Each structure stands twice: as C-alpha cells, then as structure tokens.
Amino acid sequence: MKRLVLIGLAALISVNMVGCGNDTIAKINDVKISKDEYNKIASFLYATGYVQEDKNKGINNNILSFIIDNEVAYQDAQRENIKVEDKDVNEKYEDLKETLKSNSAYKAKLDEVGVNDDFLKSQVKKDLIVSKYKENFMKNIKINDNEIKTYYDNHKDEFTKEEVRASQILISTLDDNNNVVNQEQKEKLKDKAEDILEKLKNNEDFAILAKEYSDDKNSGKDGGDLGYFSKEDKNIDFTNPVFKLEKDQLSDIIETEYGYHIVKLTDNKSVTKTLEESKEDIKNKILNQKYTQHIDSLYKNGKITIT
C-alpha cells in the first residue's frame, strides 16, 4: 500500500534525473539519480507531509522507490511520444507556487536544498507527462462487476472505518493573512486556551464557551460541533489525539498548524460502506494494482542499479 500511495504522489511532483553532478545513488536504464536530486525530492515530500521524515538521514527506500517508479514510467512515456501543452504546465506551476507561498515553513526547507522555481517548473512538466501516461494506461483497462464484487468480498475491512463526533474550541495562531503570529503572541494565545480549558474543567458549558471564544466560526456557532469525521478527513496532528479520547472525554490542548484546539469527544461509531457505495473506489484500487503490475514489468524489462 505504501508503494501505491507514493505512485499517487505523481500528481504533485516528480524528480528530474538529468545532469547528475553529485554521487550517483541509482541508475535507471541510462539515467543516473544523483544524491543532490534525491535530496530535493525527499525534502519536498517531507516538507509537505506526504512522507514521514526519516530521522536516520540515510536513503529512504519508499522515496527511492517513488523516484524509480516515476522515472521508468517517464521513460516509457517518452517512447510513446506523450506530450503536454505549455498552458497546462504553466497553470499547474502557478498552483504549486501558490501552495508554497502559503506555507513559508516548508518553502524555507526547500530553499535549503536548492529547490528553486526553475527546478519546480521542469518537474511540473515531467509530472504531467507521467500523469497522462498513467491515465492512458488506465483508460484501456476494463473492470467488470464480478471483479469488483470479488474485491469487496475479500477486502471488507478496507470499507469499514471508525468515525467520531467531536466539538472543538479553536484559538487560532494565524493572522489575517494566514501567517503564523510571532512567538510572544503565540504564548499569549496558549495562555488564553489554557484559561478556557480550566473553565471547562470547572464544568462550564462547552457549547457556550465555543460560541464565545472559538476562532472556528463555522463550528463555533453550533457550539463547536464538528459532526462525524474519520481519521483521514482532518489534519493528522488533530485526529491522532482526538481518536484516543473516550466518549465525553475532554482533551488537553492540541497544537496544530492552525492553532490551539480543545476537543470534547461526543460519540464514536464504525461505518461500513455498501458494495454499491464502494464500486468507484474499488475500481480505482484495481486500476492502481494493474498500473503497479505494469510498472513492475518495466522494472523487470529494464536495467535498474542501486549503488
């Protein structure tokens, strides 16, 4: 599953393997992967949170697999003469720049390893070619209802998930431009959150305090109610501690990129999607499996060297 997830990241960015001036860590047919190029793509994936950072500072096998997957696909796309329009490249590039601009923290991390605008734009073009290659492959695959039902019957656990219902009070640490406030302001806001938590521990009404203090105005007007959600629906820094709460339990202060959260769990349940509800999801899973098998065949027919 890890490998499938990494292949899915091709929609974000892929790595360009040309002009290797540093030590080579792998060779894919005639294309070398340098340590410098590896560091750039690894920093991107770490900074955006799509891969958990490896504290060992060595080569992360998941990232290396991702790089190789995309390179063998790109090479085959070149053999098939797949091309993309400049306007699509420019549009995707501008979207990526806006994403980076909105998060100065990981933009700084990318600057440290030389991930500049020129590098990103060249990767966007390559990424779109790989995405088009994958799309072309999948549209020629037919999945019948029997395959879908068989998959559902054999993988029912994949379609059952835990959901919780919770209420929150958010004390935001972002200013009007969505930038993080300075450390002195953050400390004052944390003190404010701790004061509210103390009120709740003294049995003051959660809904009333949410309406008065929460910076999440959407849930605040409803007494902080967030409705039902799964772990995948929200930020992992938020859901990890929330899903450890018992029903009616109050959390400690939870810090995320948005600020300080105080959460009360109000309900939990297991939800299993029906076959009919799962059909499109299953079709995509099977298509991704077939695409992975196709990539494996490119591995076997190519010459991959890890140094």
Side-chain angles (χ1 to χ4, degrees):
M1 287 303 297
K2 284 184 178 179
R3 186 162 174 222
L4 286 177
V5 170
L6 288 173
I7 289 172
L9 290 175
L12 292 171
I13 190 171
S14 58
V15 69
N16 189 350
M17 312 302 182
V18 298
C20 300
N22 297 329
D23 293 340
T24 298
I25 62 171
K27 188 176 180 183
I28 307 161
N29 297 316
D30 294 327
V31 176
K32 294 179 180 178
I33 305 173
S34 72
K35 185 66 180 294
D36 178 63
E37 299 292 344
Y38 168 88
N39 285 336
K40 288 178 181 179
I41 191 64
S43 295
F44 184 92
L45 295 175
Y46 291 150
T48 52
Y50 287 98
V51 177
Q52 186 173 358
E53 187 163 1
D54 189 344
K55 302 302 181 183
N56 293 326
K57 303 299 181 184
I59 300 299
N60 183 306
N61 287 335
N62 287 332
I63 293 175
L64 186 57
S65 175
F66 163 72
I67 293 171
I68 295 171
D69 284 350
N70 282 282
E71 179 59 29
V72 295
Y74 179 67
Q75 290 180 17
D76 209 41
Q78 288 181 303
R79 284 190 285 271
E80 293 182 8
N81 200 31
I82 293 176
K83 301 185 183 301
V84 292
E85 300 289 335
D86 287 344
K87 64 180 180 63
D88 294 329
V89 175
N90 292 331
E91 183 179 338
K92 181 88 172 182
Y93 170 66
E94 292 301 326
D95 288 344
L96 182 56
K97 277 184 66 178
E98 284 302 310
T99 301
L100 292 173
K101 192 186 299 182
S102 68
N103 193 322
S104 55
Y106 73 62
K107 177 65 167 67
K109 290 182 181 179
L110 297 180
D111 289 341
E112 287 177 11
V113 293
V115 178
N116 56 26
D117 288 349
D118 289 340
F119 177 85
L120 288 175
K121 192 165 187 177
S122 67
Q123 308 322 306
V124 166
K125 183 173 183 178
K126 180 176 179 180
D127 165 61
L128 288 175
I129 290 173
V130 171
S131 296
K132 191 172 181 180
Y133 171 80
K134 183 177 179 180
E135 180 184 334
N136 288 349
F137 174 84
M138 287 184 168
K139 73 183 181 183
N140 293 318
I141 303 295
K142 305 299 180 187
I143 309 295
N144 61 48
D145 287 344
N146 187 54
E147 285 181 275
I148 292 173
K149 185 177 185 308
T150 299
Y151 188 97
Y152 181 81
D153 290 340
N154 291 334
H155 302 84
K156 278 194 176 176
D157 58 315
E158 292 183 18
F159 306 99
T160 300
K161 62 181 180 181
E162 297 299 314
E163 289 190 355
V164 299
R165 186 172 186 175
S167 296
Q168 77 158 349
I169 297 171
L170 169 66
I171 303 303
S172 175
T173 53
L174 303 178
D175 62 21
D176 292 339
N177 295 316
N178 281 329
N179 293 318
V180 179
V181 300
N182 63 43
Q183 190 58 38
E184 183 180 354
Q185 289 174 300
K186 279 189 73 174
E187 290 173 3
K188 289 180 180 178
L189 291 168
K190 188 171 185 180
D191 288 341
K192 180 180 178 180
E194 288 174 343
D195 288 342
I196 296 169
L197 182 58
E198 192 62 31
K199 291 176 186 288
L200 292 166
K201 288 180 178 179
N202 288 326
N203 296 319
E204 293 196 34
D205 188 89
F206 194 103
I208 292 174
L209 293 177
K211 288 176 183 177
E212 182 176 354
Y213 292 111
S214 184
D215 291 321
D216 178 0
K217 300 307 178 186
N218 288 328
S219 67
K221 62 182 172 55
D222 295 322
D225 184 29
L226 297 168
Y228 285 98
F229 56 90
S230 68
K231 265 194 173 184
E232 294 75 28
D233 291 337
K234 297 185 183 296
N235 186 303
I236 192 170
D237 293 331
F238 179 82
T239 58
N240 270 350
V242 169
F243 271 73
K244 294 175 182 177
L245 297 174
E246 301 290 338
K247 187 176 178 181
D248 296 323
Q249 185 180 357
L250 192 66
S251 75
D252 291 325
I253 292 171
I254 299 169
E255 183 176 358
T256 73
E257 61 186 299
Y258 304 105
Y260 301 111
H261 308 253
I262 303 168
V263 180
K264 183 177 182 180
L265 193 78
T266 55
D267 197 15
N268 49 44
K269 62 181 181 179
S270 292
V271 179
T272 301
K273 294 169 69 176
T274 66
L275 172 60
E276 193 61 35
E277 292 171 327
S278 307
K279 276 188 173 180
E280 196 59 33
D281 189 22
I282 294 171
K283 181 179 177 182
N284 290 332
K285 287 175 181 287
I286 294 173
L287 285 172
N288 272 301
Q289 284 182 347
K290 292 182 182 295
Y291 181 71
T292 301
Q293 291 166 359
H294 172 65
I295 295 296
D296 283 342
S297 73
L298 296 178
Y299 270 66
K300 291 171 183 174
N301 294 325
K303 186 176 181 181
I304 314 297
T305 306
I306 309 296
T307 58

